Amino acid sequence: MSSPLHELDKAGVSIWLDDLSRDRIQSGSLAELISSRAVSGVTTNPTIFAVAFAKGDAYADQLAELSAKGVSASEAVFEATTQDVRMACDVFADVYKTTNGVDGRVSIEVEPGIAMDTAKTVLQAKELFKAVDRENVMIKIPATVPGLSAITEVLAAGISVNVTLIFSLQRYALVIAAFKEGIKQAKANGKDVSKIHSVASFFVSRVDTEINKRLEDIGTEHALSLKSKAALANARLAYELFEKEFSGEDWKVLEAAGANKQRPLMASTGVKDKTLPDTLYVTELVAPELVNTMPEATMEAVFDHGIVSPDTITGHYESSRAVLAELEQLGVSYDEVVSLLESEGVEKFVASWNDLLDTVAKALQGKQ
């Protein structure tokens, strides 16, 4: 097929779907997207599962069985979501093989409530990996400060990791360092590092949402001229950091041992501002070795009318730095914004997780 999504794929961007449900798996919709939309992976999060469980009755039979066993809501969520991810991993098994493990990946996240607890994060990451029991699963770990040590430890155990909730360039640098250390330890532990893959999920649209509010409060012509420029600038500079960190001598040593680069993944790429092009955070973030995980509406928009250029990142580093510098001069603190977005991100996922537990608890009670 030829479509803007297939052009994106040819430009070196892996297209992952930011959605999963049992209905999507069982209907064949997920498998169909591999050919029709060039989809080569899936990401999930507590919000996605909360929506999936609240719709329809695809989980009814399993929840009835679990209810009869007297399991808790959190145990039922663990069983059901790991089953979904296992089935999705099987759907992408051929993609996984043909891309030598680069794509065909399905991500499942540790509980957001343990994002600030290294030991619990490591324990649950290992439990999720064991429960899904598929090579092509990726365990999502938030890039909180306590999460950094967990990332290293989980990689060292030979488990592929999707590092999520990255907002700042400074934190991204620490994530890359945690990844490299994890690969070093995995090698020392006798793990086959060629089997370990990782992505670093850099959140995009929320940066504009928060900074635009502050620019509107300032209200000057200069301030308003900078609206909706920060997120792309931030994401492009993240790619620059990726290029730098994975071309140095320290990385070449690991690469010679068979290690794979931790690819940058652009997340939160749905456009929230209706005055902007609905493909903005996809078509303006094109470069080799990149992943873009898209909600279905964004993916369909790109398929329908996206205009894809081979590279919309690498020629924009200086202008991106200029945007962030201008924001600082106006009194919009980058450090303050990214810190707020991280804490809000964890809080939102905790709220979604609680909604999910509540939905499942009610379903379990209804079956007893």
Side-chain angles (χ1 to χ4, degrees):
M1 279 190 70
S2 178
S3 75
L5 289 172
H6 291 83
E7 288 174 28
L8 199 62
D9 178 61
K10 286 176 186 173
V13 179
S14 293
I15 300 160
W16 291 5
L17 175 69
D18 194 28
D19 188 53
L20 187 66
S21 67
R22 194 157 298 178
D23 272 337
R24 190 184 283 283
I25 298 166
Q26 292 177 335
S27 68
S29 161
L30 185 62
E32 194 269 336
L33 291 174
I34 295 172
S35 59
S36 70
R37 300 295 185 268
V39 170
S40 59
V42 166
T43 51
T44 69
N45 60 46
T47 303
I48 285 168
F49 279 126
V51 171
F53 275 75
K55 285 183 181 177
D57 57 1
Y59 300 93
D61 290 345
Q62 184 177 20
L63 291 178
E65 292 173 12
L66 292 171
S67 176
K69 294 177 183 177
V71 304
S72 67
S74 61
E75 290 169 332
V77 167
F78 184 92
E79 290 295 323
T81 57
T82 53
Q83 181 172 325
D84 277 2
V85 170
R86 186 182 313 115
M87 291 191 293
C89 282
D90 290 343
V91 171
F92 281 94
D94 286 345
V95 177
Y96 175 70
K97 288 173 189 171
T98 57
T99 62
N100 199 28
V102 173
D103 284 313
R105 295 284 177 172
V106 184
S107 297
I108 185 169
E109 190 161 347
V110 297
E111 290 180 32
I114 60 174
M116 298 299 173
D117 189 315
T118 301
K120 286 182 180 178
T121 296
V122 171
L123 179 62
Q124 191 175 88
K126 292 178 178 179
E127 289 172 348
L128 287 168
F129 180 74
K130 183 179 179 181
V132 174
D133 192 28
R134 294 294 185 271
E135 265 191 11
N136 52 328
V137 69
M138 272 188 168
I139 308 304
K140 284 179 88 172
I141 298 175
T144 57
V145 172
L148 296 171
S149 299
I151 291 159
T152 294
E153 196 169 335
V154 173
L155 287 164
I159 297 171
S160 294
V161 173
N162 176 340
V163 183
T164 189
L165 279 179
I166 307 171
F167 293 97
S168 79
L169 297 165
Q170 294 87 345
R171 185 61 54 82
Y172 181 33
L174 294 176
V175 165
I176 294 172
F179 164 76
K180 289 178 179 177
E181 181 57 31
I183 297 299
K184 286 177 190 172
Q185 291 185 21
K187 184 173 177 289
N189 292 339
K191 302 293 182 183
D192 181 356
V193 294
S194 70
K195 290 278 199 177
I196 306 170
H197 286 259
S198 183
V199 293
S201 297
F202 208 82
F203 278 48
V204 183
S205 66
R206 295 185 195 181
V207 173
D208 272 345
T209 301
E210 180 59 33
I211 287 180
N212 284 355
K213 285 192 293 187
R214 297 175 184 226
L215 291 172
E216 286 167 4
D217 287 342
I218 295 168
T220 63
E221 186 177 345
H222 183 210
L224 297 177
S225 73
L226 289 169
K227 281 184 64 179
S228 305
K229 292 184 177 179
L232 289 177
N234 200 36
R236 285 165 170 165
L237 292 175
Y239 189 84
E240 181 188 37
L241 187 59
F242 158 73
E243 287 186 309
K244 178 186 173 186
E245 290 293 333
F246 289 96
S247 60
E249 291 305 315
D250 65 331
W251 174 248
K252 287 176 183 175
V253 172
L254 292 172
E255 195 168 43
N260 303 288
K261 293 177 184 177
Q262 181 188 56
R263 290 187 295 165
L265 180 152
M266 298 303 164
S268 183
T269 54
V271 176
K272 312 246 184 334
D273 184 343
K274 301 303 180 186
T275 67
L276 298 173
D278 54 4
T279 63
L280 182 70
Y281 301 126
V282 178
T283 57
E284 292 302 315
L285 293 172
V286 179
E289 299 182 286
L290 196 69
V291 184
N292 195 307
T293 187
M294 308 173 204
E296 187 172 23
T298 301
M299 186 179 71
E300 289 301 319
V302 176
F303 178 80
D304 180 66
H305 53 264
I307 298 172
V308 177
S309 301
D311 183 346
T312 53
I313 293 181
T314 61
H316 299 275
Y317 297 151
E318 291 311 316
S319 60
S320 295
R321 268 188 279 279
V323 167
L324 297 188
E326 285 184 73
L327 289 168
E328 290 288 343
Q329 288 166 8
L330 282 170
V332 178
S333 169
Y334 179 87
D335 291 343
E336 186 183 303
V337 167
V338 295
S339 177
L340 174 67
L341 290 173
E342 180 183 299
S343 60
E344 283 184 349
V346 173
E347 287 169 10
K348 285 175 183 176
F349 281 154
V350 168
S352 294
W353 184 259
N354 290 336
D355 287 344
L356 175 57
L357 290 178
D358 186 51
T359 298
V360 171
K362 288 174 181 174
L364 291 172
Q365 289 163 8
K367 304 302 180 198
Q368 287 174 338

